[in-house]
Amino acid sequence: MTNLILHADRLTKQYGATRALDGVSLTLAEGTATAIMGASGSGKTTLLHMLAGILTPDAGSVGFAGHPISALSDGERSKLRREQFGFVFQQGLLIPELTAGENVALALMLNGMSKRDALVPAGQWLAALGLAGLEERRIGQLSGGQAQRVAIARAQVTGARVIFADEPTGALDSTTSQDVMNALLHTTSGSGRTLVVVTHDPQVAARCQRIVTLADGRIVADTATGFPASGAAGTGAQS
Ligand SMILES: Nc1ncnc2c1ncn2[C@@H]1O[C@H](COP(=O)(O)OP(=O)(O)O)[C@@H](O)[C@H]1O
Ligand SMILES: [Mg+2]
């Protein structure tokens, strides 16, 4: 459980006069869930995108499983993102013209799998997230919570080792938020994967093992919640 998967060292990012990140260092252990909190504009999304290799820091570095991400070419970085990372955003960024099953399968098809083959694990992931029987529905025919579960399935179907979620429950009511968070935790830290989740919701954050709070681009608090990584014993689950 002390296996480090992500390591950020003194990250800074400046946008004009705004210092979005101001020397952020952070290490994340594999199989844990970490919440990133902080006021709007405190640098949460910037940090998430940097950890995920979407944004390059002005200074500092990010390491994934011991490899410096910043040293990779753009091509290598997108391959790393496609194969090792999964993303869930506030609005799932799902393709409305496609069915739930096709949306999930697409992540595998981008890695070269045929649609026919990809639909099999896609269906299994949808079932694992409580959406069995809804594979053929288009996204518009799903509730907000159901659509977020499709986004979670899509983020995980490739066997991603790290799931990055940016306010995944931000558009949901509180009961649905808890359901979606249950599904997200069960399939990430509950199965040996790593979750980094930006959230404004203290109830969501409290379910993670750790809460990192940002203010003005700096870490101002880093707290262990005492919440156990549910089912962390089964860390071999890397499909
Ligand atoms: N692409 C950008 N161009 C200019 N300023 C940006 C950009 N992205 C973020 N910022 C600024 O950087 C700061 C941190 O932004 P962000 O990381 O999105 O914060 P949060 O996710 O905590 O709301 C904010 O002041 C924001 O306005
Ligand atoms: Mg943000």
Side-chain angles (χ1 to χ4, degrees), residues 98-177:
L98 299 183
T99 65
E102 288 167 341
N103 267 281
V104 177
L106 193 57
L108 289 168
M109 292 161 69
L110 289 173
N111 288 346
M113 197 182 278
S114 74
K115 178 172 174 181
R116 186 198 158 105
D117 288 346
L119 282 170
V120 176
Q124 290 164 346
W125 268 104
L126 288 170
L129 287 155
L131 298 176
L134 301 183
E135 300 86 353
E136 305 284 330
R137 293 250 193 118
R138 287 181 205 290
I139 301 308
Q141 300 171 313
L142 298 173
S143 70
Q146 288 170 337
Q148 265 320 50
R149 287 162 192 255
V150 175
I152 292 169
R154 186 191 52 185
Q156 310 222 49
V157 71
T158 56
R161 282 172 77 183
V162 186
I163 303 298
F164 296 96
D166 198 347
E167 305 195 29
T169 62
L172 304 175
D173 64 63
S174 65
T175 310
T176 312
S177 287

Side-chain angles (χ1 to χ4, degrees), residues 13-194:
K13 183 76 184 176
Q14 187 93 19
Y15 288 112
T18 305
R19 187 152 270 233
L21 288 183
D22 189 11
V24 169
S25 297
L26 185 66
T27 52
L28 300 178
E30 184 152 37
T32 59
T34 301
I36 300 177
M37 300 192 81
S40 180
S42 56
K44 304 182 297 295
T45 294
T46 305
L47 175 60
L48 194 81
H49 286 184
M50 236 169 241
L51 290 172
I54 295 172
L55 260 183
T56 309
D58 295 338
S61 64
V62 174
F64 167 71
H67 305 285
I69 290 186
S70 17
L72 299 175
S73 69
D74 287 350
E76 290 169 327
R77 237 186 343 228
S78 8
K79 184 169 150 62
L80 176 74
R81 282 201 302 271
R82 279 198 316 272
E83 296 181 352
Q84 307 279 3
F85 296 163
F87 299 91
V88 184
F89 300 101
Q90 180 170 347
Q91 310 289 349
L93 297 182
L94 298 165
I95 300 172
E97 289 80 12
L98 299 183
T99 65
E102 288 167 341
N103 267 281
V104 177
L106 193 57
L108 289 168
M109 292 161 69
L110 289 173
N111 288 346
M113 197 182 278
S114 74
K115 178 172 174 181
R116 186 198 158 105
D117 288 346
L119 282 170
V120 176
Q124 290 164 346
W125 268 104
L126 288 170
L129 287 155
L131 298 176
L134 301 183
E135 300 86 353
E136 305 284 330
R137 293 250 193 118
R138 287 181 205 290
I139 301 308
Q141 300 171 313
L142 298 173
S143 70
Q146 288 170 337
Q148 265 320 50
R149 287 162 192 255
V150 175
I152 292 169
R154 186 191 52 185
Q156 310 222 49
V157 71
T158 56
R161 282 172 77 183
V162 186
I163 303 298
F164 296 96
D166 198 347
E167 305 195 29
T169 62
L172 304 175
D173 64 63
S174 65
T175 310
T176 312
S177 287
Q178 289 301 315
D179 289 346
V180 166
M181 197 57 198
N182 283 341
L184 189 56
L185 285 169
H186 180 65
T187 53
T188 53
S189 58
S191 312
R193 293 188 181 78
T194 307

